[in-house]
Amino acid sequence: MEGVTDFREAVERGADERLVPILMTAMAAGLALIPLALGGGRTGSEIQTPMAIVILCGLVTSTLLNMVVVPTLYLRYGQPTSQARGRKPKRRCRELTRRHTGSS
């Protein structure tokens, strides 16, 4: 991220910037499914109601995973780009690169 030198701050800023699009997408789909989830007693909705409930729970779960677990994993296992660029590529990566570019 431009203008950010601290890795933790970059992860927090990235999570903040992704919050609104993720919530908008999940809420748009969730609001459309609420009438289906609540209309369980009507004839013909025997399949629709459980399906809507499962999809709503999946939306909530994926939103929480995306906003809590993914940034946590970045902080735990991620490396700042300056550290990642300083490493030598593994042997297998070098072989694939040579094969792809045609160099020996």
Side-chain angles (χ1 to χ4, degrees):
M1 304 198 97
E2 59 274 343
V4 179
T5 56
D6 183 38
F7 182 64
R8 183 179 190 83
E9 184 182 345
V11 171
E12 289 174 1
R13 186 171 160 192
D16 286 343
E17 288 180 5
R18 292 292 304 147
L19 178 65
V20 173
I22 289 171
L23 286 179
M24 284 177 27
T25 305
M27 286 180 64
L31 288 174
L33 289 169
I34 287 177
L36 289 174
L38 297 178
R42 290 184 287 162
T43 306
S45 66
E46 294 87 8
I47 301 292
Q48 292 175 348
T49 301
M51 179 186 63
I53 292 171
V54 167
I55 294 172
L56 281 170
C57 291
L59 285 170
V60 169
T61 303
S62 67
T63 301
L64 288 175
L65 285 173
N66 217 350
M67 298 316 306
V68 176
V69 175
V70 171
T72 304
L73 290 175
Y74 272 126
L75 287 174
R76 174 69 175 103
Y77 297 109
Q79 295 178 2
T81 55
S82 60
Q83 289 178 3
R85 288 186 186 144
R87 293 185 308 187
K88 290 180 80 174
K90 293 185 179 177
R91 184 172 162 230
R92 178 77 177 143
C93 293
R94 287 190 304 249
E95 289 174 10
L96 290 174
T97 304
R98 264 190 249 130
R99 228 181 277 157
H100 180 69
T101 58
S103 59
S104 35

